[in-house]
Amino acid sequence: MNEFDLIDVFFKQPALTRPDVLLGIGDDAALLIPPKDQQIAASMDTLVDGVHFLASTPAEYIGHKALAVNLSDLAAMGAEPAWVMLALTLPNANEKWLHDFAKGFYALANLYQLTLIGGDTTHGPLSITIQIQGFVPAGLALRRDGAKPGDKIYVSGTLGDAGAALAAAKYQTILSASEQQYVMQRLHLPTPRVALGLALRSVASSAIDVSDGLLADLRHIVTNSRAGAEIHTHQIPLSSALQKLPRTTALEYALSAGDDYELCFTVPSEKSDQIKIISEKVGVPCTCIGEITNSSDIQVSGETLNLTRQGYQHF
Ligand code: ADP
Ligand code: MG
């Protein structure tokens, strides 16, 4: 299979056409119609074999996750996903792998009416880069720099599941088969919190997605907002699987392991009543874990933890 057949067979799916895509895959560039009165939020993420996933990871999961992590970035901006580009570097044209990858990718893309408008296909060590664009009304994007002292800090869903999944072999006797399956699914098939991000426009004062670990990501909010934070360990939401692990281990995963793709956001206290309603409307639990302070660092109160690292760093 040559490069052009491969693109035609696996990626030129006419499954979904959006009126704002004048020309999609097949020319030197895509032609897009920018929406009136909205800003474009653009983001890019790369997954590298051996760094973000193992060669043994099913390709369908990789297709899902490569897109999910990008959707998560748009969710954290409160942007509505629209267009996506895919750069694939492949060691070989393995048709089964490509078929499975495309299946995972398209299942998620179709769910969000996201159109693949182009990309690049090259030969080399396996890596996947996705660039995504979405729309947000002017002034309503959820940025990292809007948190103010007194704002409540929330997280969606539960934290630490993906971190525990990476070490699941250690917990085979503690977790049931279904709990192990649950944490594995959280690692491989994260759910981007797109609807929550959209519902938080005009409500949240800042937001970020938890990709590197809660403390590391919250650090970006406090640094950019020139503030501090206090979080309470007893308030950190843990899944029933994580609740079975030794308490300090579970909290360490929740605070400093990455790959959760939940949203961490801040809300002025007078608007915090709205979170319960939003949470019910979008069907995603949201838990208050602390508040923004006047200091310049993050205090963790509650249980004593020995956190050796605050989050994932590449270098
Ligand atoms: P060029 O040589 O002009 O850069 P390419 O041969 O790289 O064009 O790509 C041909 C068309 O296929 C372009 O529209 C490009 O966006 C698209 N394309 C290439 N690879 C992919 C991919 N992995 N997924 C989606 N579209 C792709
Ligand atoms: Mg090209």
Side-chain angles (χ1 to χ4, degrees):
M1 210 181 222
N2 74 32
E3 175 192 335
F4 301 106
D5 295 337
L6 185 158
I7 295 166
D8 270 355
V9 172
F10 295 109
F11 298 106
K12 206 172 168 181
Q13 293 188 349
L16 208 134
T17 46
R18 295 172 56 100
D20 51 22
V21 179
L22 204 60
L23 188 62
I25 294 174
D27 212 313
D28 294 309
L31 290 175
L32 308 166
I33 304 167
K36 284 201 180 72
D37 311 323
Q38 297 214 62
Q39 295 174 339
I40 294 179
S43 180
M44 179 189 275
D45 259 311
T46 296
L47 299 191
V48 177
D49 182 12
V51 178
H52 300 91
F53 58 86
L54 300 174
S56 59
T57 307
E60 191 176 344
Y61 294 174
I62 301 172
H64 173 101
K65 188 158 178 175
L67 184 53
V69 303
N70 279 274
L71 281 164
S72 178
D73 281 321
L74 285 195
M77 294 301 289
E80 179 196 337
W83 309 321
V84 63
M85 300 187 95
L86 170 66
L88 269 181
T89 302
L90 302 167
N92 52 52
N94 178 332
E95 291 184 32
K96 161 95 172 75
W97 192 93
L98 282 160
H99 172 270
D100 293 351
F101 176 89
K103 190 173 165 201
F105 178 92
Y106 271 105
L108 195 57
N110 292 340
L111 208 59
Y112 293 99
Q113 266 108 62
L114 194 57
T115 297
L116 182 62
I117 55 166
D120 202 16
T121 307
T122 51
H123 177 248
L126 180 60
S127 99
I128 301 121
T129 295
I130 289 183
Q131 200 254 355
I132 195 167
Q133 295 182 320
F135 309 145
V136 60
L140 292 191
L142 305 173
R143 301 162 47 138
R144 297 177 177 183
D145 59 4
K148 296 268 182 313
D151 288 359
K152 306 274 180 220
I153 303 169
Y154 287 82
V155 290
S156 64
T158 57
L159 295 177
D161 298 317
L166 283 172
K170 280 199 234 166
Y171 306 119
Q172 268 173 354
T173 53
I174 303 181
L175 298 181
S176 68
S178 72
E179 286 161 344
Q180 289 178 47
Q181 210 184 355
Y182 169 79
V183 295
M184 281 301 175
Q185 186 170 330
R186 293 274 292 157
L187 173 67
H188 291 305
L189 298 170
T191 305
R193 303 303 191 187
V194 176
L196 176 61
L198 294 177
L200 290 173
R201 287 172 178 174
S202 334
V203 178
S205 51
S206 73
I208 192 167
D209 66 322
V210 182
S211 55
D212 295 332
L214 177 69
L215 290 179
D217 291 313
L218 180 58
R219 165 90 42 209
H220 295 306
I221 288 186
V222 302
T223 304
N224 290 25
S225 301
R226 298 171 187 278
E230 178 168 14
I231 59 174
H232 310 284
T233 59
H234 295 288
Q235 291 169 228
I236 303 288
L238 300 176
S239 65
S240 50
L242 269 263
Q243 288 178 34
K244 281 205 175 169
L245 302 189
R247 176 80 185 160
T248 50
T249 308
L251 282 173
E252 280 163 23
Y253 287 134
L255 292 178
S256 60
D259 261 3
D260 288 318
Y261 300 101
E262 295 296 346
L263 295 185
C264 173
F265 55 95
T266 60
V267 180
S269 59
E270 71 274 12
K271 290 187 176 175
S272 60
D273 285 353
Q274 295 182 43
I275 298 305
K276 192 163 177 281
I277 301 161
I278 288 173
S279 158
E280 275 163 20
K281 193 183 90 185
V282 300
V284 179
C286 293
T287 310
C288 179
I289 59 165
E291 49 277 312
I292 296 293
T293 63
N294 277 315
S295 79
S296 58
D297 50 38
I298 302 177
Q299 300 280 347
V300 180
S301 64
E303 293 129 292
T304 308
L305 299 171
N306 178 22
L307 295 170
T308 47
R309 52 164 218 178
Q310 297 224 319
Y312 189 80
Q313 287 202 354
H314 281 276
F315 302 101

